[in-house]
Amino acid sequence: MKILLSCPPMLGQVELFKPIFEAHGLELICPDFVQTLSEEELCALLPEMDGWIIGDDPATFKVLEAGKQGQLKAVVKWGVGVDNVDFDACKQLGLPVSNTPGMFGEEVADVALSYIIGLARQTFLIDRGVRADGWPKPAGMSLPGKKLGLIGFGDIGRSIAKRCLAFGLDLTIWDPYANPSTEDQQKYTFAAYPEGIEHMDFLVASCALTPETKHMVNASVFEQAKEGVRVVNVSRGGIIDEQALMQALDSGKVHSAGLDVFETEPLPADAPIRNYERCILGTHNGSNTVDAVIRASHQAIRLLFGFLDIELKEEAFL
C-alpha cells in the first residue's frame, strides 16, 4: 500500500513517522512542495495511493473522484480545520474521512497571545527599529482591564480565553454554538456577534471557516468597531475580509493586526498587506510545535490505519 502525505508540519518531522509506516509494510510518498499541492498534481498522484493524509490541499470532488477511480480507499485531514475538504464528496464516493480535532488548542492559543502582547506593546516595531540601527520606544498598552472580543469558543477559543483571563483582560465571547458552563458564564460575557464591538480593544478570530463565517469580519464590522482596535486572526484567512482590513488600517480604525493566516497561502510576494508596517505576519504556523505535530500525526496515522483495516503495532509509535 502507498500513502500520500501532503501535510507540511508532518513532513517537517517525517523521519519520526517513516518507521511507523515501514513497520506496517506501507510506502510513504512525500512530494516536494511549499504549502499545498494543486488539483492537477493531486489528480495525477492519488489514483496510485491507498490512503492520503491531507494538509491544506484542495480535497475537492474532482480530486477525490480521481483518487477513488484508482486505488484510494480512505483519507484523513491532519489538524482541525476542514474547510478545504469536501466531506459530502467523501460520503458520495464512499471514502472514509476524519480530521484530528482537539489537538492544538494550547499551541494556537500561545501564538494568539503572542500576537496580542506584540500588538499591545508594539514589540514588532521595536525589533524592526533596532535592526535598522534605531532605538524606538513606542508607548504601549497595558492589558489589565482592556476588552477583548473573541470569535469562537471551541478548543482553541477556550484556550485563548483562559490565557487572556490570566492577563486581566475582560472577554466577550461570540459563538452561537457555545455551550458555556456556569463557571464560563461567571468568567466571560456571551453575546450575539458583533454585539459590543464598539467597546473592544482587541478582536480575535478563532473559529472555523464555513459559508456562515466567511468574511464575518468585514467593512460593516470595522465601521462599528472602536477606534484603534487591534485585530488578531489565528483561524482561517477567509474569516477576515482583507481588503476591508487594509482600508481600516489606512483610516486608523484598526491600529494594528497580527495575522497568522491569509485568504491566499503562501502569501503572494505582491500582496498589499505586506506593506503595512503595523502588522505582524505569520505563516499559518500556530499549531507547529514538535510536541503537537507528533501528537496530531500519531492520531492521523491511527485513524487512517483504522480505515484501511491495518492492525496497529503500538510498539512502532514509541
Side-chain angles (χ1 to χ4, degrees), residues 1 11 14 113-114 120 126 134 153 169 225 233 312:
M1 285 188 178
L11 285 167
V14 71
L113 189 62
S114 76
I126 296 170
F153 199 57
L169 287 154
N233 189 2
L312 287 176

mmCIF file of all heavy atoms in Angstrom, residues 1 11 14 113-114 120 126 134 153 169 225 233 312:
data_model
loop_
_atom_site.group_PDB
_atom_site.id
_atom_site.type_symbol
_atom_site.label_atom_id
_atom_site.label_comp_id
_atom_site.label_asym_id
_atom_site.label_seq_id
_atom_site.Cartn_x
_atom_site.Cartn_y
_atom_site.Cartn_z
ATOM 1 N N MET A 1 0.834 -1.199 0.000
ATOM 2 C CA MET A 1 0.000 0.000 0.000
ATOM 3 C C MET A 1 0.874 1.258 0.000
ATOM 4 O O MET A 1 1.918 1.303 0.621
ATOM 5 C CB MET A 1 -0.906 0.037 1.225
ATOM 6 C CG MET A 1 -2.091 -0.907 1.176
ATOM 7 S SD MET A 1 -3.187 -0.568 2.579
ATOM 8 C CE MET A 1 -4.482 -1.764 2.235
ATOM 9 N N LEU A 11 5.422 16.633 7.415
ATOM 10 C CA LEU A 11 6.570 16.404 6.532
ATOM 11 C C LEU A 11 7.853 16.948 7.150
ATOM 12 O O LEU A 11 8.931 16.406 6.938
ATOM 13 C CB LEU A 11 6.328 17.056 5.169
ATOM 14 C CG LEU A 11 5.350 16.323 4.248
ATOM 15 C CD1 LEU A 11 4.944 17.215 3.079
ATOM 16 C CD2 LEU A 11 5.972 15.029 3.741
ATOM 17 N N VAL A 14 9.131 14.188 9.219
ATOM 18 C CA VAL A 14 8.734 12.922 8.601
ATOM 19 C C VAL A 14 9.625 11.743 9.003
ATOM 20 O O VAL A 14 9.164 10.590 9.037
ATOM 21 C CB VAL A 14 8.686 13.066 7.068
ATOM 22 C CG1 VAL A 14 10.100 13.182 6.479
ATOM 23 C CG2 VAL A 14 7.919 11.915 6.438
ATOM 24 N N LEU A 113 -1.838 34.649 21.870
ATOM 25 C CA LEU A 113 -1.431 35.526 22.970
ATOM 26 C C LEU A 113 -0.158 36.294 22.609
ATOM 27 O O LEU A 113 -0.011 37.472 22.966
ATOM 28 C CB LEU A 113 -1.206 34.712 24.241
ATOM 29 C CG LEU A 113 -0.983 35.527 25.516
ATOM 30 C CD1 LEU A 113 -2.210 36.373 25.838
ATOM 31 C CD2 LEU A 113 -0.642 34.619 26.686
ATOM 32 N N SER A 114 0.734 35.649 21.879
ATOM 33 C CA SER A 114 1.959 36.352 21.468
ATOM 34 C C SER A 114 1.624 37.524 20.554
ATOM 35 O O SER A 114 2.253 38.592 20.635
ATOM 36 C CB SER A 114 2.926 35.388 20.769
ATOM 37 O OG SER A 114 2.516 35.092 19.446
ATOM 38 N N ALA A 120 -0.062 44.946 21.617
ATOM 39 C CA ALA A 120 -0.254 45.851 22.748
ATOM 40 C C ALA A 120 1.010 46.643 23.054
ATOM 41 O O ALA A 120 0.957 47.843 23.344
ATOM 42 C CB ALA A 120 -0.693 45.062 23.982
ATOM 43 N N ILE A 126 9.576 47.752 17.633
ATOM 44 C CA ILE A 126 10.856 47.934 18.332
ATOM 45 C C ILE A 126 11.934 47.070 17.687
ATOM 46 O O ILE A 126 13.052 47.536 17.419
ATOM 47 C CB ILE A 126 10.696 47.591 19.822
ATOM 48 C CG1 ILE A 126 9.719 48.564 20.492
ATOM 49 C CG2 ILE A 126 12.053 47.638 20.531
ATOM 50 C CD1 ILE A 126 9.314 48.171 21.905
ATOM 51 N N GLY A 134 18.111 51.872 14.899
ATOM 52 C CA GLY A 134 17.385 52.842 15.696
ATOM 53 C C GLY A 134 17.236 52.381 17.135
ATOM 54 O O GLY A 134 17.794 51.353 17.547
ATOM 55 N N PHE A 153 -15.524 29.688 20.397
ATOM 56 C CA PHE A 153 -15.261 29.195 21.752
ATOM 57 C C PHE A 153 -15.141 27.675 21.746
ATOM 58 O O PHE A 153 -15.659 26.987 22.610
ATOM 59 C CB PHE A 153 -16.384 29.659 22.695
ATOM 60 C CG PHE A 153 -16.036 29.611 24.156
ATOM 61 C CD1 PHE A 153 -14.950 30.300 24.649
ATOM 62 C CD2 PHE A 153 -16.818 28.875 25.039
ATOM 63 C CE1 PHE A 153 -14.638 30.267 26.012
ATOM 64 C CE2 PHE A 153 -16.521 28.831 26.397
ATOM 65 C CZ PHE A 153 -15.425 29.525 26.878
ATOM 66 N N LEU A 169 -7.619 40.554 31.055
ATOM 67 C CA LEU A 169 -8.488 41.072 30.005
ATOM 68 C C LEU A 169 -9.950 40.728 30.303
ATOM 69 O O LEU A 169 -10.255 39.701 30.904
ATOM 70 C CB LEU A 169 -8.079 40.497 28.650
ATOM 71 C CG LEU A 169 -6.778 41.079 28.072
ATOM 72 C CD1 LEU A 169 -6.110 40.092 27.136
ATOM 73 C CD2 LEU A 169 -7.055 42.389 27.352
ATOM 74 N N ALA A 225 -16.632 49.176 14.968
ATOM 75 C CA ALA A 225 -15.599 48.896 15.963
ATOM 76 C C ALA A 225 -15.065 50.161 16.616
ATOM 77 O O ALA A 225 -15.211 51.287 16.115
ATOM 78 C CB ALA A 225 -14.459 48.127 15.318
ATOM 79 N N ASN A 233 -5.888 37.187 13.988
ATOM 80 C CA ASN A 233 -6.544 36.048 13.341
ATOM 81 C C ASN A 233 -5.626 34.835 13.375
ATOM 82 O O ASN A 233 -4.557 34.832 12.764
ATOM 83 C CB ASN A 233 -6.902 36.371 11.889
ATOM 84 C CG ASN A 233 -7.780 35.302 11.251
ATOM 85 O OD1 ASN A 233 -8.156 34.325 11.897
ATOM 86 N ND2 ASN A 233 -8.105 35.469 9.984
ATOM 87 N N LEU A 312 -2.791 -2.332 14.183
ATOM 88 C CA LEU A 312 -1.752 -1.463 14.716
ATOM 89 C C LEU A 312 -0.703 -2.212 15.497
ATOM 90 O O LEU A 312 -1.030 -3.103 16.314
ATOM 91 C CB LEU A 312 -2.383 -0.410 15.634
ATOM 92 C CG LEU A 312 -3.180 0.714 14.963
ATOM 93 C CD1 LEU A 312 -3.803 1.607 16.029
ATOM 94 C CD2 LEU A 312 -2.300 1.546 14.045
#
